[in-house]
Amino acid sequence: MTEEFSKTYDRRTLKPGESIFLQGDLGDTAYLIEHGKVEISSQYLGQKKTLSTLGVGELFGEMALIDNQKRSATATALEDTRLISLNRNLFKKKIDSADPVLHLLLRVILKRFRHTLKDKVDATKLMQTGEFVASGQTIVFDQAQSEALVQIQLESDLQAAMLEKQFVLHYQPILNTTTYKIEGFEALIRWNHPTNGWISPADFIEAAENSDLIIPIGDWVIEQACSDLLKLQDKHGSEGAPLWMSVNVSPRQIQYLARDNRLSQMIKKSGAKPGALKIEITENALIESPEVIGAALSEIKSQGIALAIDDFGTGYSSLSYLHRFSMDVLKIDRSFIDDLTSNSMSRRIVRAITSLAKELEMTVIAEGIETRQALEELQAIGCDNMQGYLASRPVPIGDALIMVENKLDLITSQTAIESIHSYRTSA
Ligand code: C2E
Ligand code: CA
Ligand code: CA
């Protein structure tokens, strides 16, 4: 795991009556209630005064994120309670990496907030009534705040998932469109959540990208995919071209991987050949910041690692990008394939993209092939490779090894997938 990965979230479990913090303590942490109830109280003239009772989803102690001031109230668990701790460093990181305009705005707002708060802190009357503490400690959530809390909870779970090894890679075979031979695999991440079961990357990759977590998660994906690629190549034997592996990377990750040859070092350490790895980046990621991403891609390309443009056709990139970024592989998005057989416009688009890619000496992979008809169209068009449920869904490494070792014909043999399961149960 990367050294840059530092823990920013923590969970605390408390018994009824246990205190979370005391009035007058110094604090740098706010808390989000995941489970249970918390009482906020203050001491006034030796008497305890309950200011509020908070439940699941509520945030308290957030003033500590703004200033290193003393706690103005005491927080106590009323029942068995679980909290997510939000350290000030986490917010600092998020604010520092925010868009510059947002950054400025936050600083101005925080400054004003602190200013008004000072007045209030001095107003003993407010302290006596508890109004300030109550309003300072409790937030009534609006839509944006609720979304932020969901993100916090997800990031915290992702961090735990990383530490507790809950991620798994599945591999989807990529076939030659005419010979049906498996030429490579795409590594696709899944999250085996302890209570929610299997979670699709569509539901967590964005949250990982919005936080630093995409870096350690991405490193793990690369290391795992390289190590599994060696096993697959071993089963495949030396006949024909060596198998390759495609790995998805996010825009933030690509810049990190290009720095100090991190990606090629990782590949080297695994024992895999740089040329056997393809890095998939979506067309949209390229459009967002072509200069920065472009520089990172050329760096990676210069190490002999292949580049693939993913989901091609969904963004509005200019065709000259393909050339400019020296892409080796173009993956045609599933949306064109879906109606390849029924819509002549889609067919013409796929044909045009394929011939353009060939002119540029790129390999073309069509994604999301679910029917024989779609495959036949692709053969007629001359598209090199196909990937989709018609051949196989993404499968665990054990199944991928069986496919390779037994040279299973995933297209013509109706029983190929069943035979995987019979091999597995007889093994
Ligand atoms: P993608 O890169 O476009 O991956 C292809 C997606 O299409 C996969 O979904 C795959 O299971 C699905 N698929 C393949 N063949 C068919 C088919 O014939 N029909 C249909 N309907 N779907 C098919 P999955 O695994 O849910 O991944 C979703 C997306 O999450 C991926 O889209 C990719 O953008 C992202 N992702 C997956 N793994 C990683 C990862 O390790 N890192 C990053 N940054 N992103 C990842
Ligand atoms: Ca992909
Ligand atoms: Ca894709």
Side-chain angles (χ1 to χ4, degrees):
M1 200 192 300
T2 162
E3 319 87 54
E4 297 193 7
F5 176 47
S6 60
K7 207 160 177 260
T8 37
Y9 299 96
D10 250 321
R11 279 189 164 84
R12 276 181 74 178
T13 38
L14 298 116
K15 294 263 164 255
E18 206 173 321
S19 71
I20 300 152
F21 54 71
L22 298 174
Q23 190 172 348
D25 283 355
L26 275 176
D28 62 356
T29 306
Y31 298 93
L32 175 67
I33 308 175
E34 232 191 347
H35 177 81
K37 274 202 171 62
V38 171
E39 178 196 68
I40 306 292
S41 64
S42 73
Q43 288 288 331
Y44 178 62
L45 302 175
Q47 292 278 309
K48 181 176 136 183
K49 183 169 170 12
T50 300
L51 302 169
S52 53
T53 304
L54 307 176
V56 173
E58 290 192 278
L59 184 75
F60 64 96
E62 74 285 349
M63 294 308 303
L65 299 179
I66 299 165
D67 254 333
N68 202 9
Q69 60 187 1
K70 288 185 176 162
R71 301 284 191 187
S72 52
T74 294
T76 315
L78 289 178
E79 48 190 62
D80 282 324
T81 298
R82 192 172 63 243
L83 306 172
I84 301 181
S85 317
L86 311 167
N87 192 273
R88 185 179 315 136
N89 291 338
L90 166 82
F91 281 82
K92 192 174 172 310
K93 255 193 205 163
K94 286 199 186 280
I95 293 171
D96 288 349
S97 62
D99 166 274
V101 180
L102 196 61
H103 193 189
L104 178 70
L105 190 70
L106 276 171
R107 281 179 47 174
V108 172
I109 292 173
L110 286 182
K111 212 168 149 191
R112 296 223 173 111
F113 190 46
R114 252 183 230 146
H115 197 69
T116 34
L117 229 54
K118 279 212 178 72
D119 296 342
K120 285 193 177 177
V121 171
D122 291 339
T124 342
K125 192 169 147 271
L126 282 176
M127 277 299 279
Q128 286 168 1
T129 60
E131 266 178 52
F132 156 66
V133 183
S135 64
Q137 296 286 352
T138 315
I139 288 180
V140 176
F141 299 129
D142 61 19
Q143 174 84 15
Q145 284 166 332
S146 311
E147 278 170 17
L149 292 182
V150 167
Q151 166 86 6
I152 286 168
Q153 199 155 21
L154 184 55
E155 283 182 21
S156 157
D157 279 355
L158 281 171
Q159 190 172 61
M162 190 64 224
L163 296 168
E164 285 154 31
K165 304 190 170 31
Q166 292 164 3
F167 294 115
V168 176
L169 287 185
H170 281 184
Y171 298 97
Q172 189 172 33
I174 299 173
L175 275 59
N176 182 296
T177 317
T178 42
T179 64
Y180 303 155
K181 286 208 168 89
I182 296 176
E183 297 193 344
F185 286 88
E186 177 174 2
L188 294 155
I189 194 168
R190 273 97 185 83
W191 178 7
N192 192 1
H193 192 282
T195 49
N196 303 343
W198 289 99
I199 303 181
S200 140
D203 297 326
F204 67 85
I205 286 293
E206 200 186 327
E209 270 175 37
N210 291 336
S211 69
D212 284 342
L213 291 166
I214 194 68
I215 304 296
I217 295 174
D219 277 4
W220 174 82
V221 169
I222 292 163
E223 282 161 17
Q224 188 65 42
C226 284
S227 124
D228 285 339
L229 172 63
L230 293 179
K231 293 185 196 157
L232 288 162
Q233 287 178 330
D234 190 44
K235 289 278 187 243
H236 181 68
S238 52
E239 189 192 315
L243 286 178
W244 43 262
M245 178 67 77
S246 235
V247 174
N248 295 283
V249 298
S250 79
R252 261 181 93 172
Q253 204 189 344
I254 198 90
Q255 295 168 52
Y256 158 83
L257 289 172
R259 236 177 290 138
D260 307 325
N261 302 329
R262 280 191 174 111
L263 179 58
S264 56
Q265 296 291 348
M266 258 191 274
I267 301 173
K268 207 186 228 166
K269 206 166 138 210
S270 77
K273 297 239 167 15
L277 209 75
K278 298 191 202 296
I279 291 298
E280 295 195 7
I281 184 132
T282 63
E283 188 189 18
N284 284 320
L286 277 186
I287 308 167
E288 268 169 36
S289 45
E291 299 303 329
V292 183
I293 304 277
L297 288 176
S298 338
E299 191 56 47
I300 286 174
K301 174 98 182 172
S302 72
Q303 310 286 324
I305 301 155
L307 301 176
I309 185 160
D310 201 359
D311 301 346
F312 190 76
T314 54
Y316 296 93
S317 69
S318 102
L319 291 173
S320 67
Y321 275 25
L322 294 178
H323 190 53
R324 182 167 144 205
F325 295 122
S326 321
M327 290 285 168
D328 304 280
V329 179
L330 182 154
K331 297 188 78 170
I332 304 178
D333 189 67
R334 188 165 71 226
S335 53
F336 297 102
I337 309 298
D338 280 346
D339 50 10
L340 192 58
T341 46
S342 57
N343 182 332
S344 69
M345 187 48 109
S346 287
R347 196 178 312 137
R348 275 182 285 181
I349 292 173
V350 173
R351 188 175 294 137
I353 295 176
T354 306
S355 69
L356 171 89
K358 294 234 159 128
E359 282 297 321
L360 297 170
E361 298 179 336
M362 296 169 76
T363 307
V364 186
I365 302 176
E367 295 188 297
I369 313 302
E370 295 181 353
T371 61
R372 277 305 277 251
Q373 293 91 305
L375 175 59
E376 279 156 21
E377 289 286 349
L378 288 178
Q379 289 166 339
I381 289 169
C383 175
D384 311 289
N385 294 103
M386 59 99 31
Q387 176 180 3
Y389 294 171
L390 177 68
S392 168
R393 287 180 180 259
V395 294
I397 180 65
D399 289 354
L401 288 167
I402 293 169
M403 285 176 185
V404 170
E405 186 177 18
N406 298 289
K407 306 205 176 340
L408 292 184
D409 179 343
L410 299 168
I411 301 291
T412 31
S413 160
Q414 294 289 318
T415 54
I417 297 298
E418 283 80 14
S419 65
I420 287 176
H421 297 291
S422 67
Y423 275 111
R424 199 164 42 178
T425 43
S426 64

